[in-house]
Amino acid sequence: MAPQSRPPADEVLADALAHLEKLIAFDTTSALSNLALIDWAAGLLAASGARLRYTFDDGKTKANLLATIGPDVAGGVVLSGHTDVVPVEGQAWTSDPFRLARRGVRLFGRGTADMKGFIAACLAIAPLAAASALQRPIHFALSYDEEVGCLGVPRLVDDMKESLPTPAFAIVGEPTMMQLVTAHKGCCVFETRFVGRAAHSSLAHFGVSASVHAAAFVTYLDELLGPGRSPASRIQGLMPAHTTFNVGVFESGTAMNIIPRDARLAWEYRAIPELDTDAFTASLMAHLDEIVLPKMQRVFPEAAINTTKLAHVPVLDPRLNRELLALLTEIGGFDGETAVAFGTEAGFFQAAGVPAIVCGPGSIEVAHRADEYVDCDQIGQATVFLRKIVDWAAT
Ligand SMILES: [Zn+2]
């Protein structure tokens, strides 16, 4: 198509706002299906000539969509967003969270900032991409279950690696107020179950207290990763600058006078980019197997400790996106870079060999809260930036 058929900027912004209204109306809380949203977005993208690829969760109630406009060659750009949102239960909303409400320059609704605003802007540039003589493809990557541990995007990234020529880079549109975010921590989430031997509390020599041994492991984590204890990152802007941990759930015991047989910990650590998480996780598992478990088994040979890894969000390592930072700074006229405290899907793309950066409309400070909003101007900035990305892909 000829360049003059490209939609003008105000039309792209109007489309983005209309798409946002539609996106907010899909209740895609992570516990629910996202298929209605995905089908609707797929229809829009297909109308712009996109080639569609789906990957599903095991129950086929949720899908990732990977849609490509442009030539089937390497060197394209991935525009990535998660379609799920966090629950609204227990939050005091001024208006229906699943109905976009405009008050002044602000647009309220669940997911306006995190991160349907970015998805709306991406969908709005699809007709522009279709009308441009793209030399490099634009891939639209919409995932499920990001908010419950980035469970969906690994399947999308695996499919991308198998099926598409390697993209040049990915932009993950989590809310950063349209700042370029080049670094964040990784997160490894576990559940560990300790099985000892129950006994009357007077028979301390006979029982094996699961709670005592679980507590010893918590103390070990605290010695390694308590506030300020682990080595500080040299990367600017990570707050706090150290690898941290949390034991969010510690369940054990049934009565004051019974030595508890079982204990369950739900725990995580958040790693700085310099930490080798595979090696560190292995060292923690070795501590459980070689230090904690033998103490339990000395009294009760059948004692057991079992750990399940529930989620792993890879770090976004700024040392791996220097060229991309330079390119996007030039394309988008950005000023500097920053780091964020939260994890994103960007680390999955980076781990797959696709340099990634986080940049999207709205603020993380209003995300996950009642009366979440995005300013119209932020959506405007996102569409302007994405237009420039389309122009880059057409050169
Ligand atoms: Zn998000």
Side-chain angles (χ1 to χ4, degrees):
M1 270 183 268
Q4 55 265 35
S5 66
R6 287 157 50 103
D10 55 348
E11 198 174 293
V12 173
L13 178 56
D15 281 354
L17 297 176
H19 294 335
L20 183 58
E21 183 166 13
K22 186 80 184 172
L23 286 163
I24 296 300
F26 292 107
D27 179 356
T28 50
T29 305
S30 307
L32 305 175
S33 170
N34 73 338
L35 293 180
L37 185 157
I38 288 290
D39 285 345
W40 171 77
L44 271 184
L45 291 164
S48 289
R51 303 182 292 282
L52 308 179
R53 300 190 60 81
Y54 296 85
T55 40
F56 294 91
D57 72 332
D58 289 341
K60 291 226 166 188
T61 61
K62 298 172 184 176
N64 299 309
L65 176 66
L66 183 56
T68 300
I69 297 175
D72 187 26
V73 298
V77 52
V78 181
L79 304 177
S80 165
H82 63 80
T83 60
D84 62 319
V85 295
V86 296
V88 297
E89 275 69 46
Q91 298 184 339
W93 282 75
T94 304
S95 56
D96 181 350
F98 298 106
R99 205 168 149 184
L100 191 70
R102 184 168 184 157
R103 297 195 283 278
V105 297
R106 290 197 165 154
L107 300 160
F108 293 84
R110 170 56 81 230
T112 44
D114 187 10
M115 53 184 291
K116 290 177 172 176
F118 179 75
I119 294 174
C122 291
L123 295 175
I125 58 116
L128 179 75
S132 304
L134 295 185
Q135 305 300 305
R136 318 168 212 239
I138 299 178
H139 311 284
F140 300 80
L142 305 184
S143 69
Y144 65 87
D145 277 358
E146 190 271 352
E147 296 287 7
V148 287
C150 292
L151 305 182
V153 77
R155 292 180 185 201
L156 183 149
V157 170
D158 284 349
D159 180 56
M160 177 192 81
K161 273 184 1 190
E162 280 170 26
S163 313
L164 297 183
T166 308
F169 62 89
I171 298 168
V172 177
E174 291 280 359
T176 67
M177 293 299 283
M178 294 304 296
Q179 303 294 303
L180 291 180
V181 167
T182 52
H184 63 62
K185 289 182 182 175
C187 185
C188 296
V189 184
F190 306 90
E191 179 185 75
T192 301
R193 291 177 181 270
F194 298 75
V195 182
R197 180 161 64 184
H200 189 286
S201 57
S202 65
L203 302 175
H205 62 291
F206 183 70
V208 175
S209 169
S211 68
V212 164
H213 294 286
F217 181 59
V218 175
T219 301
Y220 178 70
L221 289 173
D222 187 51
E223 283 165 3
L224 289 178
L225 303 176
R229 293 213 172 116
S230 64
S233 175
R234 301 169 69 91
I235 292 158
Q236 291 291 309
L238 288 175
M239 279 291 288
H242 305 262
T243 297
T244 61
F245 86 107
N246 181 50
V247 178
V249 178
F250 189 141
E251 288 174 351
S252 187
T254 53
M256 177 270 293
N257 54 2
I258 300 173
I259 293 171
R261 174 184 182 271
D262 297 294
R264 181 176 82 91
L265 306 179
W267 57 283
E268 60 162 34
Y269 71 85
R270 291 181 179 256
I272 59 174
E274 291 94 332
L275 186 73
D276 178 340
T277 54
D278 287 343
F280 186 66
T281 297
S283 76
L284 295 177
M285 296 306 120
H287 179 82
L288 284 169
D289 288 344
E290 293 161 20
I291 306 294
V292 183
L293 186 60
K295 285 183 185 167
M296 299 173 76
Q297 290 182 332
R298 214 169 291 150
V299 178
F300 179 50
E302 287 80 39
I305 302 175
N306 291 304
T307 298
T308 308
K309 192 173 194 177
L310 299 180
H312 176 209
V313 180
V315 298
L316 182 61
D317 189 333
R319 295 167 296 186
L320 302 178
N321 52 27
R322 296 298 86 191
E323 280 180 36
L324 175 55
L325 173 68
L327 176 69
L328 292 184
T329 299
E330 189 187 321
I331 291 174
F334 290 99
D335 182 18
E337 63 186 304
T338 183
V340 290
F342 55 95
T344 76
E345 297 179 338
F348 289 92
F349 289 97
Q350 194 175 65
V354 177
I357 242 169
V358 187
C359 179
S363 167
I364 195 68
E365 287 170 19
V366 301
H368 298 201
R369 300 174 59 171
D371 291 345
E372 177 180 350
Y373 67 84
V374 67
D375 284 341
C376 284
D377 173 60
Q378 284 286 303
I379 303 293
Q381 284 188 41
T383 56
V384 168
F385 173 50
L386 291 172
R387 281 183 78 88
K388 291 175 181 170
I389 294 292
V390 173
D391 290 343
W392 169 82
T395 56

